Amino acid sequence: MNKIDCDFHYEGERAETAAGRHVLGRVVFGEATAAPTVRDGVPEIGLHMASPGFDSFTEVWSTDAPAETGEHRGLVYAHDGEYLFCAGVIPEGATYREPTREAYEAAFEVMDRLDYRHVFRMWNFIGGINSDNSEGLEIYRDFCVGRAEAFEAKPERVTCMPAATGIGSRGRGIAFFFLATRTGTTQNIENRRQVPAFEYPRQYGPKSPSFARATRLVPAGEDETRGAVYVSGTASITGHETLHAGDIDAQCELTLDNIAHLVGSGNLRLGGLDGGHDLKELRWVKAYVRHEEHLPAVRAACADVFPPQTHVVFLNVDVCRDDLLVEIEGIVPAPEF
Ligand code: 3EB
C-alpha cells in the first residue's frame, strides 16, 4: 500500500526528496501569493503566510508511487493511484459565496472523475478573513456559505466532512488545497468537549463551518489503529464558545488541551473508535498567531508539550473569530510497526 508523507523544507535548506519518494504537491508558505501551477512536474501553490520573525517554509507531500499531474477548471492536481493532492485559488472579489461554491464543486469533480472518494484533509487560507465583503458579511462567514452549499449539493458528502483549517492569509483572495484517498477509509472524529463545527448556532454566521475536528485515514485492509490522524485547526473553544478572550496563555493551554483530548483514547472510544494518541505524537504542527507580540507565549506553550521532532512552525495571520488569538493543527502519523 502506498504511503503518504508530509515534510517541511525550511528557507535556505536544500529541498531533497528521499530515495524512492515521489512528490505529490508543494505548498510554499512564503512572502507572496502564487497561483497554482505544475512546476517541474509537481503541482505547486504559493501562499503569502510568512512574515519577518515568523517561519518561511515549503510543505511537501510525497508518496512512494509516481504521480500523474493535471489541471481542471483552474485547479492543479497530482495523483498516484491511491492519493490525490489538489490546489486552487478563488481570486479576490466583492463576495465569495458563489466562487467558493464553484471552486469546491470543481474540486469534487476532480475527485469524482479521478475516482478518489474520500477527502481526509483540507486547508483554506483566507485573505481579509475578518473584513466585511461588499454586502457587510464577514469574509469568513461568506466563505462558509459557499463551502456549505457545495457540500450540501452532494448529500453523501455532508456525512464525510474532512478535517480542515480555515485561517487568515496575508495575501488577497482565498487559496486552498486538499488530500483525498481512493481505497482508504476515513473516520471523522469529533471532540466531546466541543460542539461539532457543522452544528454551530447561527450567531457565528448564516452557514456553519463544514469540517470535522479530525480525520483518521485508514488504509484499505489495515486495522483502524494504524491510521494517521489529521487534526483540524483547533482553538480556545469549549462547547461553541470562545473562552479566555484577551488571554494568550490561557488560549494556548485550552487549545492544546482540546487537541490532547481529541486524539486521546477516551474521546476516540466515545466515538466508537479504537486506539488513541498523546499530544507528543503530533508532527507537522502549525501554530497561527494573530498578534506578533504573542509569538513568545505561543512558542513557549508549544515547547512545553511538543518534542523537538514534532516540527512546529509559527505564522502571523488572523484567525476566523476576532476573539481567537491562536489556532493550532497537526498530524499524528500512522504508527510504524
Ligand atoms: C473553530 O474551532 C475554529 O472553517 O475550516 C478551525 C478549523 C476553524 C477549521 C474552517 C475553522 C475551520 O471553529 C476555527
Side-chain angles (χ1 to χ4, degrees):
M1 179 53 66
N2 298 352
K3 198 171 165 299
I4 186 162
D5 279 322
C6 182
D7 196 8
F8 292 164
H9 291 160
Y10 299 97
E11 179 112 295
E13 197 187 66
R14 237 186 82 86
E16 292 198 45
T17 310
R21 303 296 295 168
H22 300 266
V23 179
L24 203 57
R26 283 197 198 95
V27 184
V28 182
F29 288 78
E31 308 241 330
T33 306
T37 66
V38 175
R39 198 157 74 94
D40 303 330
V42 178
E44 180 172 309
I45 185 165
L47 308 174
H48 188 179
M49 296 288 288
S51 58
F54 286 75
D55 288 298
S56 182
F57 64 101
T58 299
E59 177 170 321
V60 181
W61 288 93
S62 65
T63 79
D64 35 25
E68 246 178 67
T69 61
E71 297 187 28
H72 176 68
R73 290 173 62 187
L75 306 181
V76 298
Y77 60 80
H79 62 113
D80 73 341
E82 183 53 41
Y83 296 110
L84 167 72
F85 170 97
C86 183
V89 287
I90 300 158
E92 185 178 24
T95 62
Y96 287 96
R97 172 184 175 164
E98 299 221 337
T100 299
R101 194 185 60 220
E102 282 167 20
Y104 265 65
E105 281 171 357
F108 292 147
E109 270 172 23
V110 170
M111 290 174 54
D112 288 343
R113 288 182 189 194
L114 300 174
D115 192 27
Y116 291 83
R117 287 154 219 233
H118 301 291
V119 195
F120 54 92
R121 188 65 167 92
M122 293 187 112
W123 283 265
N124 303 280
F125 303 92
I126 305 169
I129 187 166
N130 301 134
S131 306
D132 283 353
N133 71 6
S134 67
E135 296 166 356
L137 182 66
E138 189 191 43
I139 288 176
Y140 174 64
R141 297 176 181 208
D142 188 11
F143 160 78
C144 282
V145 175
R147 176 174 58 173
E149 287 175 349
F151 276 96
E152 284 163 6
K154 286 237 173 186
E156 70 273 17
R157 300 207 186 277
V158 175
T159 55
C160 61
M161 285 179 188
T165 293
I167 196 75
S169 164
R170 306 174 77 86
R172 295 161 186 273
I174 299 175
F176 65 93
F177 70 99
F178 67 90
L179 299 162
T181 173
R182 176 173 286 169
T183 67
T185 51
T186 52
Q187 300 176 329
N188 287 355
I189 304 170
E190 287 301 320
N191 186 339
R192 306 297 131 174
R193 293 182 178 173
Q194 295 185 305
V195 171
F198 51 84
E199 292 174 2
Y200 278 169
R202 209 28 238 247
Q203 74 199 76
Y204 301 104
K207 284 282 187 185
S208 309
S210 320
F211 71 95
R213 298 292 172 192
T215 306
R216 185 153 68 181
L217 168 65
V218 184
E222 297 231 17
D223 185 88
E224 68 182 30
T225 57
R226 298 191 57 171
V229 178
Y230 292 81
V231 177
S232 291
T234 303
S236 180
I237 294 173
T238 298
H240 58 75
E241 276 168 309
T242 301
L243 262 58
H244 312 302
D247 183 343
I248 187 62
D249 295 321
Q251 286 208 8
C252 286
E253 194 182 329
L254 179 56
T255 298
L256 291 167
D257 258 10
N258 272 336
I259 298 176
H261 184 78
L262 174 68
V263 302
S265 56
N267 185 60
L268 291 194
R269 201 176 313 115
L270 284 170
L273 304 179
D274 279 341
H277 301 281
D278 188 274
L279 209 45
K280 289 185 170 47
E281 294 173 56
L282 254 79
R283 298 290 178 269
W284 318 117
V285 168
K286 298 191 194 91
Y288 305 100
V289 184
R290 180 186 288 277
H291 300 300
E292 56 177 318
E293 64 271 24
H294 289 160
L295 176 59
V298 180
R299 207 187 269 290
C302 289
D304 266 356
V305 296
F306 298 121
Q309 60 270 32
T310 290
H311 288 266
V312 188
V313 290
F314 300 88
L315 300 162
N316 179 211
V317 290
D318 289 336
V319 183
C320 65
R321 289 187 194 176
D322 59 12
D323 49 9
L324 290 175
L325 300 171
V326 64
E327 187 173 304
I328 300 176
E329 62 175 56
I331 301 167
V332 179
E336 307 264 358
F337 288 91

